[in-house]
mmCIF file of all heavy atoms in Angstrom:
data_model
loop_
_atom_site.group_PDB
_atom_site.id
_atom_site.type_symbol
_atom_site.label_atom_id
_atom_site.label_comp_id
_atom_site.label_asym_id
_atom_site.label_seq_id
_atom_site.Cartn_x
_atom_site.Cartn_y
_atom_site.Cartn_z
ATOM 1 N N PRO P 53 83.106 7.885 35.583
ATOM 2 C CA PRO P 53 82.948 9.169 36.297
ATOM 3 C C PRO P 53 84.047 10.180 35.953
ATOM 4 O O PRO P 53 83.789 11.377 35.848
ATOM 5 C CB PRO P 53 83.042 8.777 37.770
ATOM 6 C CG PRO P 53 82.758 7.327 37.820
ATOM 7 C CD PRO P 53 83.113 6.740 36.489
ATOM 8 N N PHE P 54 85.283 9.665 35.750
ATOM 9 C CA PHE P 54 86.425 10.538 35.470
ATOM 10 C C PHE P 54 86.250 11.346 34.188
ATOM 11 O O PHE P 54 86.881 12.380 34.018
ATOM 12 C CB PHE P 54 87.690 9.659 35.380
ATOM 13 C CG PHE P 54 88.983 10.424 35.395
ATOM 14 C CD1 PHE P 54 89.363 11.156 36.522
ATOM 15 C CD2 PHE P 54 89.840 10.405 34.303
ATOM 16 C CE1 PHE P 54 90.568 11.855 36.544
ATOM 17 C CE2 PHE P 54 91.041 11.100 34.323
ATOM 18 C CZ PHE P 54 91.399 11.825 35.441
ATOM 19 N N PHE P 55 85.397 10.842 33.286
ATOM 20 C CA PHE P 55 85.207 11.555 32.018
ATOM 21 C C PHE P 55 83.829 12.207 31.903
ATOM 22 O O PHE P 55 83.503 12.763 30.872
ATOM 23 C CB PHE P 55 85.439 10.612 30.833
ATOM 24 C CG PHE P 55 86.819 10.022 30.817
ATOM 25 C CD1 PHE P 55 87.004 8.649 30.845
ATOM 26 C CD2 PHE P 55 87.917 10.855 30.814
ATOM 27 C CE1 PHE P 55 88.281 8.116 30.859
ATOM 28 C CE2 PHE P 55 89.198 10.332 30.825
ATOM 29 C CZ PHE P 55 89.382 8.962 30.853
ATOM 30 N N ASN P 56 83.023 12.092 32.970
ATOM 31 C CA ASN P 56 81.712 12.724 32.915
ATOM 32 C C ASN P 56 81.729 14.039 33.678
ATOM 33 O O ASN P 56 81.452 14.096 34.868
ATOM 34 C CB ASN P 56 80.646 11.773 33.464
ATOM 35 C CG ASN P 56 80.264 10.749 32.412
ATOM 36 O OD1 ASN P 56 79.529 11.052 31.480
ATOM 37 N ND2 ASN P 56 80.800 9.547 32.550
ATOM 38 N N TYR P 57 82.131 15.057 32.987
ATOM 39 C CA TYR P 57 82.115 16.397 33.553
ATOM 40 C C TYR P 57 81.818 17.350 32.409
ATOM 41 O O TYR P 57 81.783 16.946 31.244
ATOM 42 C CB TYR P 57 83.452 16.734 34.222
ATOM 43 C CG TYR P 57 84.653 16.614 33.312
ATOM 44 C CD1 TYR P 57 85.135 17.726 32.622
ATOM 45 C CD2 TYR P 57 85.288 15.391 33.108
ATOM 46 C CE1 TYR P 57 86.229 17.616 31.767
ATOM 47 C CE2 TYR P 57 86.373 15.283 32.257
ATOM 48 C CZ TYR P 57 86.837 16.396 31.590
ATOM 49 O OH TYR P 57 87.910 16.280 30.748
ATOM 50 N N ASN P 58 81.618 18.591 32.744
ATOM 51 C CA ASN P 58 81.256 19.538 31.703
ATOM 52 C C ASN P 58 82.512 19.989 30.945
ATOM 53 O O ASN P 58 83.140 20.986 31.280
ATOM 54 C CB ASN P 58 80.541 20.743 32.334
ATOM 55 C CG ASN P 58 80.043 21.713 31.280
ATOM 56 O OD1 ASN P 58 80.083 21.423 30.085
ATOM 57 N ND2 ASN P 58 79.595 22.871 31.716
ATOM 58 N N TRP P 59 82.863 19.230 29.904
ATOM 59 C CA TRP P 59 84.096 19.541 29.166
ATOM 60 C C TRP P 59 84.009 20.851 28.408
ATOM 61 O O TRP P 59 85.024 21.412 28.012
ATOM 62 C CB TRP P 59 84.486 18.393 28.221
ATOM 63 C CG TRP P 59 83.407 17.946 27.279
ATOM 64 C CD1 TRP P 59 82.551 16.899 27.466
ATOM 65 C CD2 TRP P 59 83.048 18.523 26.020
ATOM 66 N NE1 TRP P 59 81.698 16.792 26.398
ATOM 67 C CE2 TRP P 59 81.980 17.767 25.502
ATOM 68 C CE3 TRP P 59 83.533 19.603 25.281
ATOM 69 C CZ2 TRP P 59 81.373 18.064 24.280
ATOM 70 C CZ3 TRP P 59 82.932 19.908 24.060
ATOM 71 C CH2 TRP P 59 81.863 19.142 23.578
ATOM 72 N N ARG P 60 82.782 21.332 28.221
ATOM 73 C CA ARG P 60 82.656 22.603 27.496
ATOM 74 C C ARG P 60 83.347 23.742 28.233
ATOM 75 O O ARG P 60 83.830 24.688 27.629
ATOM 76 C CB ARG P 60 81.179 22.929 27.260
ATOM 77 C CG ARG P 60 80.609 22.130 26.097
ATOM 78 C CD ARG P 60 79.115 22.268 25.956
ATOM 79 N NE ARG P 60 78.623 21.334 24.952
ATOM 80 C CZ ARG P 60 78.314 20.076 25.213
ATOM 81 N NH1 ARG P 60 78.419 19.620 26.456
ATOM 82 N NH2 ARG P 60 77.899 19.269 24.262
ATOM 83 N N LYS P 61 83.404 23.609 29.579
ATOM 84 C CA LYS P 61 84.098 24.629 30.380
ATOM 85 C C LYS P 61 85.610 24.599 30.152
ATOM 86 O O LYS P 61 86.296 25.550 30.477
ATOM 87 C CB LYS P 61 83.848 24.365 31.873
ATOM 88 C CG LYS P 61 82.597 24.999 32.419
ATOM 89 C CD LYS P 61 82.562 24.779 33.927
ATOM 90 C CE LYS P 61 81.235 25.199 34.503
ATOM 91 N NZ LYS P 61 81.071 24.648 35.849
ATOM 92 N N GLU P 62 86.106 23.476 29.663
ATOM 93 C CA GLU P 62 87.555 23.305 29.504
ATOM 94 C C GLU P 62 87.977 23.380 28.040
ATOM 95 O O GLU P 62 89.095 23.041 27.697
ATOM 96 C CB GLU P 62 87.987 21.947 30.081
ATOM 97 C CG GLU P 62 87.474 21.660 31.471
ATOM 98 C CD GLU P 62 88.199 22.478 32.543
ATOM 99 O OE1 GLU P 62 89.253 23.059 32.229
ATOM 100 O OE2 GLU P 62 87.697 22.541 33.664
ATOM 101 N N ILE P 63 87.041 23.832 27.204
ATOM 102 C CA ILE P 63 87.291 23.800 25.759
ATOM 103 C C ILE P 63 88.480 24.676 25.363
ATOM 104 O O ILE P 63 89.146 24.434 24.364
ATOM 105 C CB ILE P 63 86.001 24.203 24.981
ATOM 106 C CG1 ILE P 63 86.062 23.758 23.520
ATOM 107 C CG2 ILE P 63 85.729 25.674 25.048
ATOM 108 C CD1 ILE P 63 85.228 22.560 23.225
ATOM 109 N N TRP P 64 88.789 25.666 26.208
ATOM 110 C CA TRP P 64 89.951 26.525 25.919
ATOM 111 C C TRP P 64 91.207 25.699 25.716
ATOM 112 O O TRP P 64 92.046 26.017 24.879
ATOM 113 C CB TRP P 64 90.176 27.518 27.073
ATOM 114 C CG TRP P 64 90.767 26.880 28.298
ATOM 115 C CD1 TRP P 64 90.092 26.267 29.309
ATOM 116 C CD2 TRP P 64 92.157 26.766 28.607
ATOM 117 N NE1 TRP P 64 90.978 25.765 30.230
ATOM 118 C CE2 TRP P 64 92.260 26.069 29.826
ATOM 119 C CE3 TRP P 64 93.340 27.182 27.981
ATOM 120 C CZ2 TRP P 64 93.482 25.760 30.431
ATOM 121 C CZ3 TRP P 64 94.548 26.886 28.578
ATOM 122 C CH2 TRP P 64 94.607 26.190 29.790
ATOM 123 N N ASN P 65 91.313 24.608 26.501
ATOM 124 C CA ASN P 65 92.495 23.758 26.461
ATOM 125 C C ASN P 65 92.642 23.088 25.089
ATOM 126 O O ASN P 65 93.753 22.907 24.589
ATOM 127 C CB ASN P 65 92.352 22.708 27.570
ATOM 128 C CG ASN P 65 93.677 22.114 27.987
ATOM 129 O OD1 ASN P 65 94.133 21.165 27.369
ATOM 130 N ND2 ASN P 65 94.301 22.668 29.000
ATOM 131 N N LEU P 66 91.492 22.742 24.482
ATOM 132 C CA LEU P 66 91.527 22.116 23.157
ATOM 133 C C LEU P 66 91.880 23.148 22.085
ATOM 134 O O LEU P 66 92.586 22.830 21.128
ATOM 135 C CB LEU P 66 90.192 21.426 22.851
ATOM 136 C CG LEU P 66 89.836 20.281 23.816
ATOM 137 C CD1 LEU P 66 88.469 19.694 23.485
ATOM 138 C CD2 LEU P 66 90.890 19.187 23.786
ATOM 139 N N PHE P 67 91.414 24.383 22.259
ATOM 140 C CA PHE P 67 91.828 25.463 21.354
ATOM 141 C C PHE P 67 93.346 25.655 21.460
ATOM 142 O O PHE P 67 94.032 25.853 20.468
ATOM 143 C CB PHE P 67 91.109 26.777 21.711
ATOM 144 C CG PHE P 67 89.768 26.922 21.057
ATOM 145 C CD1 PHE P 67 88.640 26.289 21.577
ATOM 146 C CD2 PHE P 67 89.621 27.696 19.909
ATOM 147 C CE1 PHE P 67 87.405 26.414 20.962
ATOM 148 C CE2 PHE P 67 88.386 27.838 19.297
ATOM 149 C CZ PHE P 67 87.279 27.192 19.828
ATOM 150 N N PHE P 68 93.850 25.579 22.692
ATOM 151 C CA PHE P 68 95.283 25.783 22.923
ATOM 152 C C PHE P 68 96.116 24.719 22.202
ATOM 153 O O PHE P 68 97.058 25.053 21.484
ATOM 154 C CB PHE P 68 95.551 25.768 24.439
ATOM 155 C CG PHE P 68 96.973 26.068 24.818
ATOM 156 C CD1 PHE P 68 97.493 27.344 24.655
ATOM 157 C CD2 PHE P 68 97.790 25.090 25.354
ATOM 158 C CE1 PHE P 68 98.804 27.633 25.003
ATOM 159 C CE2 PHE P 68 99.106 25.362 25.706
ATOM 160 C CZ PHE P 68 99.611 26.645 25.530
ATOM 161 N N VAL P 69 95.742 23.434 22.370
ATOM 162 C CA VAL P 69 96.541 22.386 21.707
ATOM 163 C C VAL P 69 96.351 22.398 20.179
ATOM 164 O O VAL P 69 97.270 22.043 19.448
ATOM 165 C CB VAL P 69 96.302 20.967 22.286
ATOM 166 C CG1 VAL P 69 96.797 20.879 23.711
ATOM 167 C CG2 VAL P 69 94.873 20.522 22.149
ATOM 168 N N ALA P 70 95.174 22.849 19.726
ATOM 169 C CA ALA P 70 94.995 23.013 18.278
ATOM 170 C C ALA P 70 95.987 24.067 17.790
ATOM 171 O O ALA P 70 96.614 23.914 16.729
ATOM 172 C CB ALA P 70 93.562 23.431 17.965
ATOM 173 N N GLY P 71 96.159 25.116 18.581
ATOM 174 C CA GLY P 71 97.137 26.155 18.257
ATOM 175 C C GLY P 71 98.550 25.606 18.208
ATOM 176 O O GLY P 71 99.321 25.928 17.297
ATOM 177 N N VAL P 72 98.889 24.753 19.169
ATOM 178 C CA VAL P 72 100.231 24.156 19.200
ATOM 179 C C VAL P 72 100.474 23.363 17.910
ATOM 180 O O VAL P 72 101.550 23.447 17.306
ATOM 181 C CB VAL P 72 100.413 23.247 20.448
ATOM 182 C CG1 VAL P 72 101.744 22.515 20.396
ATOM 183 C CG2 VAL P 72 100.308 24.068 21.732
ATOM 184 N N THR P 73 99.441 22.637 17.468
ATOM 185 C CA THR P 73 99.548 21.863 16.223
ATOM 186 C C THR P 73 99.766 22.793 15.028
ATOM 187 O O THR P 73 100.643 22.552 14.191
ATOM 188 C CB THR P 73 98.270 21.019 16.012
ATOM 189 O OG1 THR P 73 97.945 20.380 17.238
ATOM 190 C CG2 THR P 73 98.475 19.965 14.936
ATOM 191 N N ILE P 74 98.984 23.861 14.971
ATOM 192 C CA ILE P 74 99.127 24.832 13.867
ATOM 193 C C ILE P 74 100.521 25.480 13.921
ATOM 194 O O ILE P 74 101.176 25.658 12.888
ATOM 195 C CB ILE P 74 98.013 25.915 13.933
ATOM 196 C CG1 ILE P 74 96.631 25.263 13.742
ATOM 197 C CG2 ILE P 74 98.247 27.006 12.887
ATOM 198 C CD1 ILE P 74 95.458 26.188 14.051
ATOM 199 N N GLY P 75 100.984 25.786 15.133
ATOM 200 C CA GLY P 75 102.325 26.368 15.304
ATOM 201 C C GLY P 75 103.395 25.441 14.750
ATOM 202 O O GLY P 75 104.346 25.887 14.098
ATOM 203 N N GLY P 76 103.231 24.150 14.998
ATOM 204 C CA GLY P 76 104.168 23.160 14.465
ATOM 205 C C GLY P 76 104.142 23.148 12.949
ATOM 206 O O GLY P 76 105.185 23.090 12.295
ATOM 207 N N PHE P 77 102.939 23.252 12.382
ATOM 208 C CA PHE P 77 102.775 23.264 10.925
ATOM 209 C C PHE P 77 103.454 24.498 10.319
ATOM 210 O O PHE P 77 104.212 24.394 9.362
ATOM 211 C CB PHE P 77 101.277 23.242 10.570
ATOM 212 C CG PHE P 77 101.007 23.311 9.101
ATOM 213 C CD1 PHE P 77 101.162 22.187 8.307
ATOM 214 C CD2 PHE P 77 100.606 24.506 8.506
ATOM 215 C CE1 PHE P 77 100.921 22.247 6.942
ATOM 216 C CE2 PHE P 77 100.371 24.574 7.143
ATOM 217 C CZ PHE P 77 100.521 23.438 6.355
ATOM 218 N N ILE P 78 103.196 25.662 10.899
ATOM 219 C CA ILE P 78 103.785 26.917 10.397
ATOM 220 C C ILE P 78 105.305 26.818 10.412
ATOM 221 O O ILE P 78 105.980 27.188 9.443
ATOM 222 C CB ILE P 78 103.305 28.122 11.258
ATOM 223 C CG1 ILE P 78 101.808 28.360 11.048
ATOM 224 C CG2 ILE P 78 104.114 29.384 10.931
ATOM 225 C CD1 ILE P 78 101.190 29.380 12.000
ATOM 226 N N THR P 79 105.851 26.294 11.514
ATOM 227 C CA THR P 79 107.305 26.179 11.621
ATOM 228 C C THR P 79 107.851 25.246 10.540
ATOM 229 O O THR P 79 108.850 25.553 9.896
ATOM 230 C CB THR P 79 107.704 25.643 13.008
ATOM 231 O OG1 THR P 79 106.911 26.309 13.985
ATOM 232 C CG2 THR P 79 109.168 25.899 13.294
ATOM 233 N N GLY P 80 107.176 24.102 10.337
ATOM 234 C CA GLY P 80 107.632 23.143 9.334
ATOM 235 C C GLY P 80 107.610 23.723 7.932
ATOM 236 O O GLY P 80 108.485 23.455 7.118
ATOM 237 N N GLN P 81 106.599 24.556 7.641
ATOM 238 C CA GLN P 81 106.447 25.106 6.303
ATOM 239 C C GLN P 81 107.331 26.321 6.046
ATOM 240 O O GLN P 81 107.875 26.475 4.963
ATOM 241 C CB GLN P 81 104.984 25.510 6.073
ATOM 242 C CG GLN P 81 104.023 24.355 6.064
ATOM 243 C CD GLN P 81 104.266 23.395 4.909
ATOM 244 O OE1 GLN P 81 104.306 23.776 3.754
ATOM 245 N NE2 GLN P 81 104.457 22.140 5.240
ATOM 246 N N PHE P 82 107.440 27.194 7.035
ATOM 247 C CA PHE P 82 108.058 28.502 6.772
ATOM 248 C C PHE P 82 109.307 28.810 7.603
ATOM 249 O O PHE P 82 110.103 29.647 7.232
ATOM 250 C CB PHE P 82 107.035 29.630 6.996
ATOM 251 C CG PHE P 82 105.748 29.426 6.271
ATOM 252 C CD1 PHE P 82 104.584 29.127 6.963
ATOM 253 C CD2 PHE P 82 105.697 29.512 4.883
ATOM 254 C CE1 PHE P 82 103.389 28.919 6.289
ATOM 255 C CE2 PHE P 82 104.514 29.309 4.210
ATOM 256 C CZ PHE P 82 103.352 29.008 4.902
ATOM 257 N N LEU P 83 109.452 28.169 8.738
ATOM 258 C CA LEU P 83 110.524 28.595 9.642
ATOM 259 C C LEU P 83 111.582 27.522 9.875
ATOM 260 O O LEU P 83 112.375 27.619 10.808
ATOM 261 C CB LEU P 83 109.934 29.030 10.999
ATOM 262 C CG LEU P 83 108.903 30.163 10.971
ATOM 263 C CD1 LEU P 83 108.297 30.370 12.340
ATOM 264 C CD2 LEU P 83 109.544 31.457 10.495
ATOM 265 N N SER P 84 111.575 26.502 9.031
ATOM 266 C CA SER P 84 112.513 25.410 9.254
ATOM 267 C C SER P 84 113.895 25.768 8.720
ATOM 268 O O SER P 84 114.044 26.238 7.591
ATOM 269 C CB SER P 84 111.992 24.154 8.566
ATOM 270 O OG SER P 84 112.934 23.132 8.700
ATOM 271 N N SER P 85 114.913 25.552 9.533
ATOM 272 C CA SER P 85 116.283 25.829 9.083
ATOM 273 C C SER P 85 116.817 24.642 8.296
ATOM 274 O O SER P 85 117.737 24.770 7.506
ATOM 275 C CB SER P 85 117.186 26.092 10.289
ATOM 276 O OG SER P 85 117.300 24.921 11.065
ATOM 277 N N ASN P 86 116.224 23.469 8.521
ATOM 278 C CA ASN P 86 116.627 22.244 7.841
ATOM 279 C C ASN P 86 118.093 21.886 8.076
ATOM 280 O O ASN P 86 118.752 21.322 7.212
ATOM 281 C CB ASN P 86 116.351 22.343 6.344
ATOM 282 C CG ASN P 86 115.644 21.098 5.861
ATOM 283 O OD1 ASN P 86 115.472 20.146 6.615
ATOM 284 N ND2 ASN P 86 115.251 21.092 4.607
ATOM 285 N N GLU P 87 118.589 22.262 9.204
ATOM 286 C CA GLU P 87 119.960 21.902 9.569
ATOM 287 C C GLU P 87 119.914 20.962 10.759
ATOM 288 O O GLU P 87 119.023 21.064 11.600
ATOM 289 C CB GLU P 87 120.745 23.159 9.960
ATOM 290 C CG GLU P 87 121.241 23.938 8.772
ATOM 291 C CD GLU P 87 121.669 25.338 9.151
ATOM 292 O OE1 GLU P 87 122.114 25.534 10.295
ATOM 293 O OE2 GLU P 87 121.530 26.229 8.296
ATOM 294 N N PRO P 88 120.910 20.069 10.844
ATOM 295 C CA PRO P 88 120.914 19.166 11.989
ATOM 296 C C PRO P 88 121.092 19.943 13.295
ATOM 297 O O PRO P 88 121.689 21.015 13.317
ATOM 298 C CB PRO P 88 122.124 18.259 11.740
ATOM 299 C CG PRO P 88 122.493 18.457 10.323
ATOM 300 C CD PRO P 88 122.027 19.816 9.932
ATOM 301 N N ILE P 89 120.561 19.368 14.350
ATOM 302 C CA ILE P 89 120.675 19.981 15.669
ATOM 303 C C ILE P 89 122.121 19.912 16.152
ATOM 304 O O ILE P 89 122.833 18.954 15.879
ATOM 305 C CB ILE P 89 119.724 19.256 16.643
ATOM 306 C CG1 ILE P 89 118.282 19.627 16.301
ATOM 307 C CG2 ILE P 89 120.026 19.593 18.093
ATOM 308 C CD1 ILE P 89 117.282 18.787 16.991
ATOM 309 N N ASP P 90 122.518 20.959 16.857
ATOM 310 C CA ASP P 90 123.869 21.045 17.382
ATOM 311 C C ASP P 90 123.993 20.134 18.618
ATOM 312 O O ASP P 90 124.023 20.582 19.752
ATOM 313 C CB ASP P 90 124.137 22.514 17.764
ATOM 314 C CG ASP P 90 125.530 22.704 18.308
ATOM 315 O OD1 ASP P 90 126.410 21.903 17.958
ATOM 316 O OD2 ASP P 90 125.717 23.649 19.090
ATOM 317 N N LEU P 91 124.034 18.837 18.327
ATOM 318 C CA LEU P 91 124.014 17.837 19.403
ATOM 319 C C LEU P 91 125.426 17.589 19.923
ATOM 320 O O LEU P 91 126.394 17.732 19.197
ATOM 321 C CB LEU P 91 123.449 16.542 18.808
ATOM 322 C CG LEU P 91 122.599 15.633 19.685
ATOM 323 C CD1 LEU P 91 121.343 16.325 20.147
ATOM 324 C CD2 LEU P 91 122.238 14.377 18.898
ATOM 325 N N ASN P 92 125.538 17.205 21.169
ATOM 326 C CA ASN P 92 126.836 16.855 21.751
ATOM 327 C C ASN P 92 127.410 15.633 20.998
ATOM 328 O O ASN P 92 126.727 14.621 20.864
ATOM 329 C CB ASN P 92 126.638 16.515 23.230
ATOM 330 C CG ASN P 92 127.953 16.281 23.956
ATOM 331 O OD1 ASN P 92 128.961 15.927 23.346
ATOM 332 N ND2 ASN P 92 127.929 16.480 25.258
ATOM 333 N N PRO P 93 128.661 15.720 20.500
ATOM 334 C CA PRO P 93 129.252 14.581 19.762
ATOM 335 C C PRO P 93 129.246 13.289 20.573
ATOM 336 O O PRO P 93 129.147 12.199 20.004
ATOM 337 C CB PRO P 93 130.685 15.046 19.494
ATOM 338 C CG PRO P 93 130.648 16.526 19.600
ATOM 339 C CD PRO P 93 129.557 16.873 20.562
ATOM 340 N N LYS P 94 129.310 13.429 21.894
ATOM 341 C CA LYS P 94 129.257 12.248 22.769
ATOM 342 C C LYS P 94 127.921 11.516 22.614
ATOM 343 O O LYS P 94 127.873 10.288 22.568
ATOM 344 C CB LYS P 94 129.374 12.687 24.241
ATOM 345 C CG LYS P 94 130.777 12.711 24.786
ATOM 346 C CD LYS P 94 130.664 12.871 26.298
ATOM 347 C CE LYS P 94 131.943 13.451 26.886
ATOM 348 N NZ LYS P 94 131.707 13.960 28.249
ATOM 349 N N THR P 95 126.836 12.298 22.554
ATOM 350 C CA THR P 95 125.507 11.700 22.391
ATOM 351 C C THR P 95 125.407 11.025 21.026
ATOM 352 O O THR P 95 124.900 9.905 20.916
ATOM 353 C CB THR P 95 124.406 12.776 22.524
ATOM 354 O OG1 THR P 95 124.660 13.551 23.691
ATOM 355 C CG2 THR P 95 123.025 12.170 22.604
ATOM 356 N N ILE P 96 125.922 11.732 19.989
ATOM 357 C CA ILE P 96 125.879 11.175 18.637
ATOM 358 C C ILE P 96 126.619 9.837 18.599
ATOM 359 O O ILE P 96 126.103 8.841 18.082
ATOM 360 C CB ILE P 96 126.503 12.165 17.624
ATOM 361 C CG1 ILE P 96 125.681 13.461 17.598
ATOM 362 C CG2 ILE P 96 126.574 11.544 16.225
ATOM 363 C CD1 ILE P 96 126.270 14.563 16.738
#
Side-chain angles (χ1 to χ4, degrees):
Chain P
F54 193 65
F55 300 122
N56 280 283
Y57 57 94
N58 184 9
W59 53 264
R60 281 172 188 85
K61 273 186 189 164
E62 310 286 346
I63 198 104
W64 74 273
N65 202 274
L66 298 177
F67 273 80
F68 184 70
V69 294
V72 174
T73 314
I74 297 169
F77 178 78
I78 292 171
T79 317
Q81 294 296 306
F82 309 110
L83 302 173
S84 176
S85 66
N86 228 354
E87 280 164 30
I89 288 169
D90 181 26
L91 214 62
N92 186 335
K94 268 192 203 164
T95 312
I96 297 174

